[in-house]
Amino acid sequence: MPNMRATRNEMPVQEPDVRNKNFKEVALGYTEEQAIDEAQRCLNCKNKPCVTGCPVQIDIPSFIAEVAKGDFAAAYKIITQSSSLPAVCGRVCPQENQCEGKCVRGIKGEAVAIGRLERFVADWHNAQPETAVEKPVSNGHKAAIIGSGPSGLACAGDLIKKGYDVTVFEALHVAGGVLSYGIPEFRLPKSIVQKEIEGLKALGVKVETNTVVGRTVSIDELMKEEGFESVFIGSGAGLPRFMKIPGENLSGVYSANEFLTRINLMKAYKEDSSTPVQHGKKAVIVGGGNVAMDAARCAKRLGADVTIVYRRTETELPARAEEVEHAKEEGIVFRFLTNPVEIKSTENGWVKSVVCQEMELSEPDASGRAKPVPKEGAFVEIEADCVIMSIGTSPNPLIKATTEGLDTQKWGGIIADEDGLTSKEGVYAGGDAVTGAATVILAMGAGKKAAAAMDAYMQNK
């Protein structure tokens, strides 16, 4: 009989006043006893509603049933039939809006903690002694992946298992894309990202870092000169947007991408780091998404008093509820219905303060959220020596500019159908490069769809 307790097992975490001073992982993970107890809350529904909410279609009831029996190896085998990055997804996926949002147990209580169980299984597997991996038999076809973020890794993982010769091209010196440069250590330890990538390498995936496609080599050259029959573009959306307000060029103003890259990839928070980053005393973060929460929590760990300004109310915040809750617990201040209009300067050209217009909500806009409009004559000035802009990103135009016959949207996103096929034969795309900034798991789902379509294309060819 299932465990019919209405509440889930709480995730052990570092205390707020301890964790906001270090970059160690906040959530500590389930014990074996907690995992088994939580798994026993699953009803093992025959119609599997949770699976319909999973972009990569993990057989969730089956893996949880194995956890409930204590067979963690079998659970891992089930998960990895669909997901190449289980330790990552168990940490950063918005399960509350996806698999857990469909869980029947959530109707009269709390949903089964599917994400926490996936994390537990992946961490258990990674803690076991390494065993030799049997590489798939080669089918003689070559595929190239541009970008080693979640969509590229998911695509590479599915293709290598089908026997393709897969090479991933990464612009930076470390693989992982946004998983390495964008998400902080306290949410996603980089050792876990590299462990997942090493698992793909063990299967035969080749990773070429320091390769800027569009500069080092073009897509046309990959296909015409290097023999790649199909290419997947998973280069993400790393070009930051700004508000175009006075003062954005002052010293002390960062895009969230730059700020997080310096901290996460270059380890600028460490005393012996050779990469500088500002340890501000008062930081203002503009935006309300997960990236804004990450930037705010990093600035807090560097010693700043941190304020997040967001032009709508808390109800409209796009960030995960868990991330907002953690930010509040760590002492970060939220100012809602507040929108920057000017950044003021000190005499030597550094940030002094942020002038904000107070807002009020009107009718919903195209996004379906209530539209913020200025409250006439209502302004507030917030003291700051550091401002971090986190108002969205767009794809880098380099690939479009150097690839013949590749169509893009006006805002820069690559045009692709539901299977990832672009306007250029044999070239597929997915993730943030197509949709703009979204979630890790949606990017992975796009990479898996494209892998299936690329497989069909190359086999038919």
Side-chain angles (χ1 to χ4, degrees):
M1 289 290 292
N3 175 354
M4 295 308 294
R5 188 181 68 252
T7 57
R8 61 171 64 187
N9 283 269
E10 288 298 319
M11 173 69 87
V13 296
Q14 287 192 69
E15 289 299 317
D17 286 341
V18 174
R19 71 186 191 230
N20 66 5
K21 299 175 182 65
N22 68 63
F23 279 81
K24 296 177 182 177
E25 191 168 15
V26 169
L28 304 177
Y30 279 164
T31 63
E32 289 190 10
E33 293 76 14
Q34 288 173 318
I36 291 172
D37 183 71
E38 184 62 32
Q40 290 172 346
R41 295 184 61 236
C42 178
L43 300 178
N44 203 11
C45 305
K46 289 185 178 179
N47 61 351
K48 304 181 181 183
C50 51
V51 178
T52 66
C54 177
V56 297
Q57 298 291 286
I58 293 171
D59 188 347
I60 294 167
S62 294
F63 102 73
I64 290 180
E66 297 298 340
V67 175
K69 293 187 294 186
D71 193 342
F72 309 135
Y76 182 80
K77 185 176 181 180
I78 292 169
I79 293 171
T80 52
Q81 286 173 353
S82 302
S83 174
S84 300
L85 306 171
V88 170
C89 292
R91 286 170 164 80
V92 303
C93 286
Q95 292 97 1
E96 65 274 15
N97 298 325
Q98 294 176 340
C99 53
E100 292 175 11
K102 302 283 187 179
C103 179
V104 172
R105 291 302 305 271
I107 297 173
K108 293 185 178 180
E110 292 184 321
V112 175
I114 298 168
R116 296 173 183 177
L117 291 174
E118 181 182 12
R119 167 189 166 149
F120 167 80
V121 171
D123 287 355
W124 178 89
H125 170 82
N126 288 340
Q128 304 309 304
E130 291 189 13
T131 57
V133 176
E134 185 177 345
K135 292 185 179 181
V137 177
S138 173
N139 63 16
H141 296 276
K142 290 179 65 176
I145 311 293
I146 300 172
S148 65
S151 65
L153 294 178
C155 187
D158 278 16
L159 288 174
I160 198 72
K161 291 172 186 175
K162 293 178 184 293
Y164 289 93
D165 181 343
V166 180
T167 303
V168 178
F169 296 95
E170 167 57 47
L172 298 176
H173 65 286
V174 174
V178 70
L179 304 175
S180 292
Y181 75 75
I183 302 176
E185 184 81 11
F186 55 79
R187 279 218 294 138
L188 180 62
K190 303 311 153 204
S191 60
I192 288 172
V193 177
Q194 294 310 310
K195 181 80 172 179
E196 302 276 48
I197 293 171
E198 289 303 316
L200 291 175
K201 286 182 177 179
L203 288 172
V205 173
K206 296 184 282 291
V207 179
E208 300 285 347
T209 56
N210 299 308
T211 304
V212 182
V213 175
R215 283 288 182 267
T216 310
V217 66
S218 70
I219 288 177
D220 292 326
E221 288 170 341
L222 289 175
M223 299 183 78
K224 293 177 182 178
E225 298 176 17
E226 299 196 22
F228 290 100
E229 298 166 64
S230 189
V231 175
F232 175 75
I233 303 171
S235 50
L239 189 65
R241 296 174 183 167
F242 289 90
M243 295 186 70
K244 299 179 181 178
I245 60 175
E248 276 188 310
N249 61 342
L250 294 173
S251 297
V253 179
Y254 294 86
S255 70
N257 268 31
E258 179 190 357
F259 185 74
L260 290 171
T261 298
R262 286 174 179 267
I263 290 172
N264 300 328
L265 192 64
M266 310 306 292
K267 309 300 181 188
Y269 60 89
K270 293 184 176 181
E271 290 185 3
D272 60 351
S273 174
S274 59
T275 299
V277 72
Q278 185 177 3
H279 291 231
K281 294 181 180 179
K282 293 182 181 293
V284 170
I285 284 73
V286 183
N290 289 325
V291 175
M293 301 305 124
D294 288 343
R297 296 172 70 193
C298 285
K300 183 70 176 179
R301 283 159 171 76
L302 294 178
D305 291 329
V306 181
T307 301
I308 292 175
V309 297
Y310 181 61
R311 61 182 185 155
R312 293 183 168 93
T313 71
E314 184 168 2
T315 302
E316 290 80 32
L317 273 177
R320 292 184 70 185
E322 181 179 78
E323 300 308 319
V324 175
E325 179 184 352
H326 281 173
K328 288 180 177 179
E329 289 173 351
E330 291 169 8
I332 291 165
V333 175
F334 286 75
R335 296 194 66 146
F336 298 106
L337 293 171
T338 306
N339 195 43
V341 292
E342 181 185 1
I343 302 171
K344 288 190 172 181
S345 171
T346 62
E347 290 183 358
N348 60 0
W350 283 80
V351 171
K352 175 184 177 183
S353 63
V354 183
V355 179
C356 298
Q357 170 92 58
E358 293 184 6
M359 311 294 283
E360 53 190 1
L361 297 183
S362 64
E363 296 301 314
D365 60 14
S367 71
R369 295 177 295 173
K371 183 179 180 180
V373 295
K375 186 185 292 185
E376 189 174 351
F379 294 90
V380 61
E381 188 168 346
I382 304 172
E383 184 181 355
D385 57 4
C386 176
V387 177
I388 301 169
M389 293 291 179
S390 180
I391 58 171
T393 55
S394 58
N396 191 310
L398 181 60
I399 289 178
K400 157 64 177 174
T402 58
T403 306
E404 186 178 345
L406 186 67
D407 293 340
T408 59
Q409 306 279 2
K410 288 183 178 179
W411 54 270
I414 297 169
I415 297 174
D417 67 14
E418 61 180 13
D419 293 324
L421 179 62
T422 70
S423 56
K424 187 176 180 66
E425 184 182 350
V427 177
Y428 295 76
D432 293 2
V434 172
T435 62
T439 63
V440 167
I441 192 65
L442 287 175
M444 288 180 62
K448 287 180 67 67
K449 280 187 176 181
M454 292 166 72
D455 174 42
Y457 169 77
M458 285 185 279
Q459 292 302 322
N460 291 333
K461 185 179 177 183

